[in-house]
Amino acid sequence: MSDTEDLISSFEVRDPDLAGRLGTYTIKGKKVETPELMPVVNPNRMVRGAGVPPSELLENFGFRMIITNSYIIRRSEDINAEVLRKGIHGYLDYEGVVMTDSGTFQSYIYGGRTGGEVDVDPLEIVRYQNAIGSDVGTILDRFTVPDRDHEAAAEDLRITLDRARSSMEVNHNMELAVPIQGGRHTDLRTSSGKGVRDLGVGYAPIGGVVPLMENYEYSLLVDIIVSSKRGLGPSIPAHLFGAGHPMLLPLAVALGCDLFDSASYAKFAHDDRYMTRFRTLRIGEMLNLPCSCPVCATRGPEDILDMEKDDRAGLLSRHNLWVLREVLDEVRAAVKEGTLWEIVERSAMANPSMYSAVRRMREHTGYLEENAPRTLRRFMSSSGLSLARPEFLRLRERLSAFEPPESMKKALVLTDWTVSRSYRADRAMWKEHPEGIQPVIKTPLGAVPFDITDMYPISQSIFPPPGSLDAELESYMDSLYQPLIRRYDDVIEWDGRGDPPVAPGMNNYRDLDMRRARSILRMQFGKFGEKWADEVLFKDGGSISILTSRRTGKIRNIMETGPDGRKDHLLSMRAEDGHFNLRWLAAVRLHEASSPPLLRVEVEEGTGEFNAKGFNVFCKFVIDADKSIRAGDDVLVIGRNDELYAVGRANVSSGTMVNGRSGIAVKVRDGAVKRAG
């Protein structure tokens, strides 16, 4: 893997949510925080003094990256001469990142379904973009319309990749964007993504999708994004060409797109159309302006309609940009908070095609699971659309293999999950039931043993109350509940009202905290050979003490006192998600009980000594990692010969840390040298 110093650009990923993430794209010392949108700057409109000046896009709206068209610039004799003299940044009076397109989209506009191309040499347009000082230039790829058959689309793809290789040879001072093509054929999209990744480029647009968006084929767009990303991998920024409507942005980000471009803000404005989050309106048909941006705060529709055409278009363009800015900022905040799904689910209700697209995500839950963090701050679900979320899949798989520390023949089932976190329910389910009865909560996530209810997503989940679930969630819950009933000789249901219907003569349950700790460890780490994680960590001969919060009574730390009287810190409980942090002794025991690649992140030998001192692991030094590692997992940092350097928490998924060129892979908690010191 090349060092970032040898690259024109770098992309650092952090804070994943679903397949989306926050990131920093850096090129030539300029930074762009993603997800981000690039307003399209039309050079012909600049000549006429129309449109929003690029300097205003940066200074007033905060757009740190824009896109313009080198093909159009080159065709205009006057504009071309000035751009060659001043450079593209000087001509646009713009200090941010400038991306240029090559004319491929014009080939679609002019050539349509015939696949005709613009009159420019593919290598010459790359040289030209270098000459005018583009930060990111684009090859002249073959635009594959969606209805092109597989054979023709495959030939287009071959030509695109051949042109990319040739273009890389003449490129010398800009990042070269190589679009992913393949039409509607998902196998070709995956092959194209892999081909782009293998070229070693640092920027990948997903091309040929504008016709789909124009025809509201959003479900197919979901398939295309996922198949493209599967081939491309998580470490290269993905730009969804032509996606500039605010309604689509949350879904596209959730699927892993990082950058977008919009000409629609201006096109709509010139057609007297007014953007909102979920639709566009005709300004002449509006009663008022439902927006508080600087354009709308002191104006009504009649004020804008009274203006001259260009002035009206200028104001509407600015309003449309404010809407895009607001939606992107909300999406970024949601990714950081871990609530992106909530925005995606809301957007599904805006349009039937969007609803179908969000439903289509259920066919790609495996892809979402590979990229989503292990835990978030909360889990909110309003409908069966949420079944696309990886939490359902993960919990179902873990529960199917889960074995409580003690065998129980009966189950006491709390059927109202809305009261499960109350003190009264906790006392009734644990403190006042006869021994030999397993407490269980029936939830839309599944039938969950009460031992692990503090773990994400159970305790952090928010669902409609019983009787208010939609048919899909109700059906899913019942499908998981029936296998539970077959596990026990007897199942006693209780709705949380009154006293539980169990026999008198109740005793306090012994060693409740230890049982909970063991159950959480089994759910979190699973088995190591024939032994569960708790059996590996709680060794014979040591005395285990569990420290709890005085305020909540919940587990906080687990200590071990050895035969020699030495006290060691074994585990710490994370209050936000109910998972354990491994301390050094626990890491050593899990390392000894397992073999690579389980739980492991392998680093270069020259950097392992720094990790052993407590320094974080960076992606560019990761050689390999357990493919099951997700952001938020506790991991073991090892060297080539499986020597244990450190233990910490994964910052990104295994795919990102192995293929990433920059950014933190593991936040180290304890290191071998640090511990010895």
Side-chain angles (χ1 to χ4, degrees):
M1 186 181 298
S2 302
D3 289 338
T4 54
E5 290 79 1
D6 299 328
L7 301 170
I8 294 174
S9 68
S10 66
F11 185 53
E12 178 180 343
V13 173
R14 62 188 184 279
D15 299 312
D17 187 7
L18 299 172
R21 62 273 182 96
L22 300 184
T24 302
Y25 179 65
T26 304
I27 181 164
K28 299 180 181 179
K30 304 170 187 175
K31 295 183 182 295
V32 178
E33 299 300 319
T34 63
E36 182 59 293
L37 178 135
M38 291 170 273
V40 174
V41 175
N42 187 323
N44 289 328
R45 286 181 180 159
M46 282 188 61
V47 171
R48 300 196 306 267
V52 182
S55 59
E56 185 181 343
L57 293 173
L58 177 62
E59 295 165 8
N60 290 3
F61 296 92
F63 290 112
R64 298 189 175 278
M65 189 170 180
I66 59 174
I67 182 169
T68 190
N69 195 294
S70 65
Y71 172 75
I72 293 175
I73 292 172
R74 187 172 177 271
R75 280 173 59 89
S76 170
E77 184 175 341
D78 292 339
I79 298 176
N80 177 43
E82 192 171 355
V83 170
L84 285 172
R85 181 170 58 86
K86 292 183 176 179
I88 191 66
H89 292 83
Y91 175 76
L92 297 175
D93 187 25
Y94 184 77
E95 297 179 354
V97 176
V98 176
M99 179 179 183
T100 49
D101 199 0
S102 58
T104 298
F105 187 70
Q106 279 65 41
S107 71
Y108 161 68
I109 296 296
Y110 304 147
R113 296 185 178 184
T114 65
E117 293 194 272
V118 291
D119 55 341
V120 63
D121 179 76
L123 298 186
E124 182 56 35
I125 197 66
V126 172
R127 293 190 185 97
Y128 180 74
Q129 291 173 87
N130 273 275
I132 63 177
S134 299
D135 297 308
V136 181
T138 312
I139 70 163
L140 187 69
D141 54 314
R142 287 291 292 268
F143 191 104
T144 306
V145 293
D147 59 356
R148 203 154 168 80
D149 65 47
H150 192 279
E151 183 179 357
E155 177 62 13
D156 286 346
L157 175 55
R158 184 193 65 77
I159 292 172
T160 289
L161 292 177
D162 283 348
R163 287 181 179 178
R165 295 183 191 97
S166 300
S167 297
M168 292 177 71
E169 294 178 2
V170 301
N171 176 52
H172 58 83
N173 194 35
M174 66 181 183
E175 183 62 74
L176 198 61
V178 179
I180 297 170
Q181 291 286 357
R184 65 173 58 237
H185 309 288
T186 55
D187 62 323
L188 294 181
R189 289 286 180 171
T190 300
S191 176
S192 179
K194 184 178 184 303
V196 171
R197 181 184 66 189
D198 291 345
L199 288 172
V201 298
Y203 195 99
I206 299 175
V209 294
V210 169
L212 299 178
M213 292 182 282
E214 290 176 338
N215 294 319
Y216 295 91
E217 294 185 72
Y218 295 145
S219 293
L220 179 56
L221 181 64
V222 169
D223 296 340
I224 286 173
I225 293 172
V226 171
S227 56
S228 299
K229 286 282 295 183
R230 280 197 176 280
L232 182 66
S235 62
I236 301 172
H239 171 181
L240 189 60
F241 259 149
H245 196 286
M247 176 179 65
L248 189 61
L249 295 177
L251 174 64
V253 170
L255 293 171
C257 297
D258 305 290
L259 292 142
F260 310 89
D261 64 272
S262 175
S264 58
Y265 78 95
K267 290 179 179 179
F268 288 173
H270 282 267
D271 196 27
D272 286 343
R273 287 190 286 172
Y274 178 99
M275 270 188 183
T276 70
R277 285 170 172 265
F278 302 121
R279 55 184 297 205
T280 56
L281 306 172
R282 296 281 180 182
I283 189 70
E285 299 172 359
M286 297 177 66
L287 178 64
N288 53 33
L289 302 182
C291 174
S292 57
C293 76
V295 171
C296 303
T298 59
R299 295 180 178 90
E302 65 283 355
D303 299 316
I304 296 178
L305 286 168
D306 287 343
M307 295 179 175
E308 295 295 326
K309 175 67 175 178
D310 283 349
D311 293 337
R312 183 165 68 247
L315 272 184
L316 287 175
S317 291
R318 288 169 173 83
H319 158 77
N320 293 341
L321 285 167
W322 282 118
V323 173
L324 289 164
R325 177 80 280 162
E326 181 181 23
V327 170
L328 266 175
D329 287 347
E330 182 185 31
V331 168
R332 283 184 188 174
V335 173
K336 178 68 175 178
E337 189 184 22
T339 57
L340 178 57
W341 177 262
E342 297 171 24
I343 303 178
V344 172
E345 198 164 7
R346 288 202 302 271
S347 70
M349 303 304 165
N351 180 284
S353 296
M354 280 297 299
Y355 184 88
S356 297
V358 176
R359 279 189 63 87
R360 184 66 67 90
M361 292 175 75
R362 286 177 62 175
E363 298 181 18
H364 301 291
T365 300
Y367 164 75
L368 297 176
E369 193 285 324
E370 292 168 10
N371 293 278
R374 186 70 64 188
T375 67
L376 297 167
R377 291 186 178 274
R378 76 179 182 208
F379 180 93
M380 184 179 290
S381 171
S382 302
S383 72
L385 290 174
S386 298
L387 292 172
R389 296 188 63 164
E391 288 89 343
F392 285 95
L393 173 64
R394 288 172 178 168
L395 190 60
R396 183 172 71 244
E397 291 179 345
R398 286 293 176 100
L399 284 174
S400 67
F402 176 72
E403 295 178 12
E406 298 178 37
S407 177
M408 303 291 184
K409 295 184 177 181
K410 295 184 179 181
L412 172 62
V413 180
L414 176 61
T415 58
D416 186 350
W417 51 87
T418 65
V419 301
S420 63
R421 289 188 287 273
S422 69
Y423 172 78
R424 181 175 175 278
D426 184 78
R427 181 175 179 81
M429 295 294 283
W430 273 119
K431 306 293 187 183
E432 298 180 358
H433 74 278
E435 294 185 25
I437 294 183
Q438 171 67 53
V440 174
I441 305 175
K442 183 180 181 182
T443 80
L445 286 161
V448 180
F450 216 83
D451 319 31
I452 59 171
T453 51
D454 286 339
M455 296 185 74
Y456 179 87
I458 305 152
S459 180
Q460 296 79 6
S461 63
I462 304 173
F463 287 99
S468 300
L469 294 180
D470 72 2
E472 283 187 289
L473 276 177
E474 190 81 42
S475 175
Y476 179 84
M477 179 175 66
D478 289 342
S479 72
L480 298 183
Y481 186 54
Q482 297 307 314
L484 169 81
I485 294 176
R486 293 192 290 269
R487 279 191 182 187
Y488 300 98
D489 296 339
D490 188 20
V491 174
I492 306 164
E493 292 189 345
W494 177 50
D495 63 5
R497 297 172 179 83
D499 295 323
V502 291
M506 303 176 181
N507 300 310
N508 288 336
Y509 200 93
R510 295 191 302 269
D511 300 323
L512 171 59
D513 289 333
M514 176 57 76
R515 177 185 167 89
R516 275 180 161 163
R518 287 183 178 275
S519 293
I520 290 170
L521 287 169
R522 292 185 179 201
M523 281 291 291
Q524 184 175 350
F525 295 105
K527 269 190 168 181
F528 294 76
E530 295 300 314
K531 290 186 175 183
W532 288 95
D534 62 298
E535 296 170 329
V536 172
L537 293 173
F538 300 155
K539 287 199 168 185
D540 295 336
S543 174
I544 300 296
S545 56
I546 299 179
L547 308 180
T548 59
S549 167
R550 291 182 180 179
R551 185 175 64 86
T552 65
K554 295 184 182 295
I555 299 171
R556 285 294 170 258
N557 293 286
I558 297 181
M559 312 295 291
E560 179 184 277
T561 304
D564 59 357
R566 177 177 173 175
K567 185 170 282 191
D568 275 297
H569 192 179
L570 201 62
L571 300 158
S572 296
M573 176 67 75
R574 301 199 297 253
E576 69 273 13
D577 64 10
H579 283 59
F580 279 116
N581 284 334
L582 298 174
R583 309 307 301 195
W584 181 251
L585 179 59
V588 169
R589 288 181 179 172
L590 293 186
H591 179 259
E592 291 173 348
S594 61
S595 301
L598 187 61
L599 297 179
R600 287 157 168 81
V601 175
E602 182 184 342
V603 298
E604 295 179 3
E605 291 185 15
T607 64
E609 60 186 83
F610 294 99
N611 306 137
K613 295 176 182 178
F615 292 98
N616 291 332
V617 177
F618 287 88
C619 292
K620 67 178 180 177
F621 300 122
V622 173
I623 297 174
D624 200 5
D626 180 353
K627 289 182 172 56
S628 68
I629 290 173
R630 305 291 178 259
D633 283 345
D634 264 38
V635 298
L636 310 176
V637 181
I638 63 164
R640 189 176 300 276
N641 298 315
D642 197 32
E643 59 271 34
L644 181 62
Y645 289 135
V647 60
R649 192 173 181 184
N651 194 51
V652 291
S653 67
S654 58
T656 302
M657 62 176 67
V658 171
N659 297 295
R661 297 167 172 175
S662 62
I664 296 174
V666 180
K667 293 183 177 180
V668 169
R669 183 179 307 117
D670 283 325
V673 174
K674 177 183 174 184
R675 171 71 177 185

